[in-house]
Every structure is written in C-alpha cells, then in structure tokens.
Amino acid sequence: MNDHEKRDFQAGLEAEVDAFMRGETTRRTFITRFGQMTGMLAASGPILAMMTDWALAQQKLELADAASPLGQAQAAAMKASMEGPADGSAFRAVEAAKAHSGVTLNMTYEAGLQALDPRNFSGPMWEQLTGMKSNVVELSNPDQYSKAVAEHIAGSGAYDVLDISPAWTPSLADGGVIAPLDDYIAKYMNPADLEDYHPLYKALPTYKGKIWGFFDDGDMFALYYRKDIFEDPKMVDAYQAKFNAKLAPPKTWEEYAQIAQFITDQMAPNVYGAGHFRKAGSPGNQFDFLQQYRANGGKLFGDDMKAGLASDAGVKTLQNMIAANAASIPGNNELDAVSLWAAFLTGKVAMIYSWPPSGRMAANYSQSATAINFIPQSQIAGKVGYAVVPGNPEHATGYNKALSADSANPEAAYLFMQWACSPPVSLARCMLPYALRDPYRISHFKSELYGALFPSAKEYLNNLNNSANVGLLDPIMPGAQDYFLSIDRMCTAVWAGADPKASLETAAAEWNETTDRLGVDSQKAFYTEFLKLPGATADNTVEKLGMAVTL
C-alpha cells in the first residue's frame, strides 16, 4: 500500500467507523473490509493473523536499523549467542546446537503475524548461528492443539517444536504428546533464566512436578485510556460536580461503567466512554467474564466439582458487564477485537481493556512494520495512559514452547527453544513490531531498550508488570475450551436479552456435563493442580503470595 492508498484507506475507515457508530448500515462493509485486511482469527489468545502474501513468503533474516532500540536489541541477542557470556543460555544453546547442523526443525506457530517471527527473525538467525534450518507450520489456534494430538496418534513425527496454550499442558503431557524438559534444562540452561520469569508466568509450563515447556507470551489484559479526556479540566470539574469524586482510571467495575457512561453522556457521538469485543467467538466473552467473576469473589468449581457460576458473584458480573455495554459505543455487542482496536485508534473510544499490542498500536509503533502498516494510524498517540484493569486482569491464553515427544531431533529442538526463550533473544522477539509476542520476563519489563521503543513505553511496561502482579490465569485443565464456549454462549444470550440468572444456570449445567464427560475425579485432580499456581484465584495472586515484582 503506497502513501496515497494508505491515506484513502484511513479516511474510508474513519468514515465507516463514524457511520457504524451512528447506526447506519455500513457495519458489514466495515467488518468485511477490515477483516479481509487483517485476517482476524476467531480464536483465543494472540488474536490477529494480519498479513500480506509477500510478508509470509519471506524466510530471511530481517534486522532493524542498527541505531534503533530494536536494532540494538537484535545486535545484543546476536552477540550473546556468539560471544557469551559463556554461561548464558543463548550461548550454550548455540554451541551445543552446532553439532546438529543440517537438521531441519518443524515448528508450529499460529498462522499470520505470529509466524513472521520464526520466518523473518528467529528462524533465519538460528540457521546463521547453528546451520539448522526451520520449517514453520502455520496453524489456526484450535489446530495447534488438534493437529499435535493427531500427529502423535499417527506416530508421524511431523513436529519438533510446538507452540501451545498453557491450558493444554496437562492433557498433552498426560497424553504423551509433549516431553518434559527437566533433564535438558539441568544439562544446558543457566538456572538464573528461570528466575527471570515474572512469577505469574514461571510456573505455567509446570505440571506434576516437571517442566513441560518454556513460557513465551505475556498475554495480560490491561486498561488503556485517553489521558487527554481524563485530564480535561471541563471533564474533571463536571465529574467532580456530579459524583463528588476525581475523574481517574476506575478501580472497580461499578466505577468503570459509571465513568464510561459519564464520558458517553458528555462527548457522544464524537467519543464514547468504552468499547468491548462482545461478538461471540471473536475471540469470545470468556476472558472478560472470568476476570470480573473471580474479582467479584466467584469460584469456578465447588469441592464436589459442580460449577459455581450460578451464584451471586455470577449475577453481579453479568450486571456489571451489561452496565458497561450500555455505556459503550453503538454496536458494542457485535464488536470483535479488531474493530474495537480500530475504534480506539481512530479516537472514538475513551477506554478499552485488551491484550498488550493495544499499547504498541496506540503509540503507532506496530504500524512501523511493513507487514502491519495497514492497521489504522493512531490518532491518539501520546494521549494514552495505562492502568490495571479493575480488580484482577485476565492473563488471556498466551503461549508455551513445548517439545514434541515424537521429535526425531529432540535435543536440537530443545536447544532452539532454550535459545529463543533466553533473556536476550526473547527480548528482541518481543520487541518486533509485527509478531505479537508480549513481554513476560522481569528483564523485559526493566529493559531500557524496550522502554525506548516509544515515548511512554516505560509506563506501558511498568503497567504490564503491575497487572501481572495481580493477574489471574485462564483455567489450565482438560475441557477448558468447552467451559469457555459455554461462557461465551451465556454472555451472548444475555446481550440478546436473556435473563442473567437463568443463563448462568444453563451455563453451569453445561459445565457439569463437560466435567461428567471427562470424569469428575480426573477433573478434580487437574483443578487441584491448577489451584496451586499463582494467579489461579483472586486470593492467591502473585501480590497476595508476597512475590510481587517492583520495578
């Protein structure tokens, strides 16, 4: 897209956003047009598959300007890999991997932008360092699970390195699909690298006392808000007069809806108070419901493994979400994650909560990449503040790198994973403007190079760290996707007018059917393991366990 085409696209997109918010019948055009440009995946976790054909065709090492923060991080990753320190995990992995020169590693990645990292950066750099090639197998998010299982059953040995959701670890481990890494870690890794993980993420690949992968994507929800609106003297005075309170980022979900409604009342139709991705399956209502439900004191299961959804906490959560919907932009209940980003970037929404790419896009950093420059240019760059989501934010999916138990080259595959997830290399990968990997190491949050990516990057990193301190994890157990789908259906029914209490009872019954199908005793054992993880409940967050990271 040349500059003229980009300007035309930007103007057309803004016009369609405006028309959509007025309730005019351009919604189909807007979603179709933007969806075609972005290749939105209706799947959880890293949610975009935005790409161009030429971008996916690349398989060569692409380095940023050596003087840029990203270029400096890439140079540091290369230096650590080639020169050491000698006890560094990157250096040790490269030295050992040279014995496997000529091997080709087959690795699964979510289709789209995620796959551009191994195609254009980490894969080619690894080949340059070790002589090992990589074959990137692009899959939809659900297929990253089902294809791994199918190939294991077939005994094909098709994959070496698997990108998996943490929620899949127990079933893939028990099913023999993935292999534990403990022996390799003891032989090759600098133990300090494990301590560099933020405590919320460190334990995610562990199961039954073993380590089944390396955590590799900090998908933490955070609140992104318009500082220029929240600090506008007229808005501040009007809010003070009406509520006898300071206009500030909300601390509770009741405050969230109140502030959103106030901004909508004051500024619509130019700006609305909030927006949410409420459209079923895009990527789904489960993440938002789970973070609010548990912050409201809700329990997922009782001691008998009966679903706890149909409770006062469940009703309160749906009421909070309904109030937020009413305070939001027109068509809120049909927004997907991409259209929500578009509305925020074009200045139509004052608050959103979503994945970390929100902050990079709002600062126009993501749009610096050729592969992603069709995202709307941010009209709010320099005006965005960061806050922790009220209560407890959700760590919505994320990724682990896991070793296929059927790999013909298990040591070579392990060494790539150790290298890619080592502090210097993972930092450079998280700084790529297009690849959607998000910070997860303490050294990421403290990085001066990452903090120089855009003017407010240090504040952005600090907020992601603080969010992880009080963050909650998605349930990590078999059947998680079925439980998620029940919540998504429940919320969608409520948005259409169904009774919240009755909808909660329906969802709870579906949860109980899923639990019975998988085995109550078996599910209880998995759930018990999950509850041991920091962030499994609002009562055992990293902060409440005394492990909070202060930058």
Side-chain angles (χ1 to χ4, degrees):
M1 205 184 276
N2 61 38
D3 289 343
H4 178 71
E5 291 170 331
K6 284 192 286 186
R7 285 194 299 270
D8 286 348
F9 173 70
Q10 179 77 12
L13 177 60
E14 291 171 21
E16 290 187 9
V17 172
D18 287 338
F20 167 59
M21 288 171 32
R22 291 194 299 269
E24 298 175 7
T25 57
T26 59
R27 169 66 175 165
R28 182 179 300 276
T29 302
F30 170 61
I31 288 301
T32 300
R33 188 171 169 197
F34 202 79
Q36 287 172 344
M37 293 294 257
T38 58
M40 174 66 188
L41 293 177
S44 60
I47 54 174
L48 287 179
M50 295 177 290
M51 70 204 69
T52 58
D53 291 340
W54 69 264
L56 291 182
Q58 303 297 305
Q59 188 115 22
K60 62 181 181 180
L61 181 57
E62 294 185 354
L63 299 177
D65 186 318
S68 69
L70 174 58
Q72 292 178 63
Q74 292 173 332
M78 181 69 83
K79 182 176 181 180
S81 302
M82 296 178 65
E83 301 177 18
D87 63 348
S89 293
F91 181 81
R92 295 178 67 180
V94 167
E95 289 300 295
K98 291 175 182 177
H100 301 278
S101 179
V103 164
T104 296
L105 297 178
N106 297 309
M107 55 186 73
T108 65
Y109 261 79
E110 186 181 47
L113 287 183
Q114 292 280 15
L116 292 183
D117 165 17
R119 286 184 179 278
N120 295 348
F121 178 66
S122 58
M125 182 177 282
W126 181 248
E127 181 177 355
Q128 182 174 317
L129 291 166
T130 68
M132 270 198 263
K133 298 182 181 296
S134 57
N135 176 42
V136 181
V137 182
E138 296 191 46
L139 301 171
S140 70
N141 183 270
D143 281 351
Q144 287 179 282
Y145 177 86
S146 61
K147 294 281 190 182
V149 173
E151 297 294 349
H152 172 67
I153 291 172
S156 67
Y159 306 136
D160 299 295
V161 178
L162 301 172
D163 255 22
I164 66 170
S165 168
W168 306 336
T169 296
S171 55
L172 294 180
D174 281 351
V177 179
I178 58 177
L181 306 183
D182 302 78
D183 290 344
Y184 289 124
I185 289 172
K187 183 176 181 180
Y188 291 115
M189 178 175 273
N190 184 331
D193 284 3
L194 293 177
E195 303 308 314
D196 185 44
Y197 280 101
H198 189 285
L200 181 68
Y201 307 133
K202 178 182 177 181
L204 280 184
T206 63
Y207 174 63
K208 291 184 177 178
K210 293 184 178 181
I211 299 174
W212 299 86
F214 294 129
F215 182 77
D216 194 36
D217 190 13
D219 268 347
M220 177 58 62
F221 276 6
L223 184 72
Y224 301 89
Y225 67 96
R226 290 278 299 279
K227 290 192 299 181
D228 58 326
I229 294 174
F230 275 71
E231 296 172 2
D232 185 313
K234 292 182 179 179
M235 297 291 286
V236 170
D237 291 346
Y239 192 82
Q240 180 71 38
K242 185 169 185 176
F243 298 109
N244 192 29
K246 181 181 179 182
L247 180 58
K251 299 295 186 184
T252 68
W253 289 109
E254 289 77 13
E255 287 181 359
Y256 176 87
Q258 176 177 288
I259 292 170
Q261 188 65 63
F262 169 78
I263 294 174
T264 294
D265 292 342
Q266 293 284 322
M267 302 187 70
N270 295 321
V271 181
Y272 290 85
H276 314 86
F277 44 83
R278 298 293 202 223
K279 185 178 180 181
S282 299
N285 290 277
Q286 62 273 13
F287 305 119
D288 194 358
F289 179 86
L290 284 171
Q291 69 177 354
Q292 296 194 40
Y293 174 68
R294 288 184 284 178
N296 286 331
K299 305 296 183 184
L300 301 181
F301 300 98
D303 292 339
D304 58 358
M305 285 303 290
K306 294 296 183 183
L309 299 178
S311 60
D312 290 344
V315 172
K316 180 180 180 180
T317 297
L318 288 177
Q319 289 174 340
N320 290 155
M321 296 174 77
I322 291 169
N325 292 346
S328 299
I329 64 174
N332 175 80
N333 296 354
E334 284 298 314
L335 290 177
D336 57 31
V338 176
S339 49
L340 175 60
W341 270 333
F344 188 56
L345 295 174
T346 53
K348 308 303 181 183
V349 175
M351 289 190 296
I352 67 168
Y353 49 90
S354 187
W355 283 274
S358 305
R360 303 195 293 272
M361 292 177 186
N364 267 333
Y365 174 68
S366 296
Q367 295 88 324
S368 67
T370 304
I372 202 173
N373 67 4
F374 46 78
I375 290 175
Q377 289 295 304
S378 174
Q379 298 184 18
I380 55 175
K383 301 176 182 179
V384 176
Y386 318 105
V388 176
V389 167
N392 302 93
E394 191 80 0
H395 178 258
T397 71
Y399 274 113
N400 292 341
K401 284 200 181 306
L403 173 61
S404 170
D406 303 307
S407 171
N409 303 286
E411 183 171 84
Y414 167 82
L415 291 169
F416 171 80
M417 295 194 302
Q418 174 176 301
W419 174 79
C421 297
S422 66
V425 180
S426 62
L427 173 64
R429 292 173 55 236
C430 285
M431 290 172 63
L432 294 171
Y434 52 75
L436 303 184
R437 281 308 204 244
D438 300 313
Y440 56 87
R441 286 186 174 276
I442 297 171
S443 58
H444 295 168
F445 298 128
K446 291 183 176 181
S447 169
E448 292 294 325
L449 291 176
Y450 201 127
L453 279 185
F454 48 90
S456 59
K458 287 186 178 180
E459 299 169 37
Y460 164 80
L461 291 169
N462 188 68
N463 188 62
L464 290 178
N465 174 78
N466 294 344
S467 297
N469 285 338
V470 296
L472 299 176
L473 303 173
D474 294 333
I476 298 176
M477 55 193 298
Q481 191 62 28
D482 292 324
Y483 297 132
F484 289 167
L485 290 173
S486 293
I487 293 174
D488 195 22
R489 286 192 295 268
M490 172 191 73
C491 290
T492 304
V494 171
W495 310 158
D499 178 70
K501 181 67 173 177
S503 299
L504 286 161
E505 290 171 349
T506 298
E510 292 179 1
W511 272 37
N512 292 337
E513 290 176 3
T514 296
T515 301
D516 289 344
R517 172 172 54 83
L518 296 173
V520 173
D521 290 341
S522 174
Q523 288 297 90
K524 186 172 185 178
F526 284 113
Y527 185 56
T528 299
E529 285 289 318
F530 169 65
L531 291 177
K532 295 176 184 178
L533 298 176
T537 71
D539 293 326
N540 76 324
T541 62
V542 167
E543 182 177 83
K544 289 189 175 180
L545 293 173
M547 299 187 297
V549 176
T550 302
L551 300 182

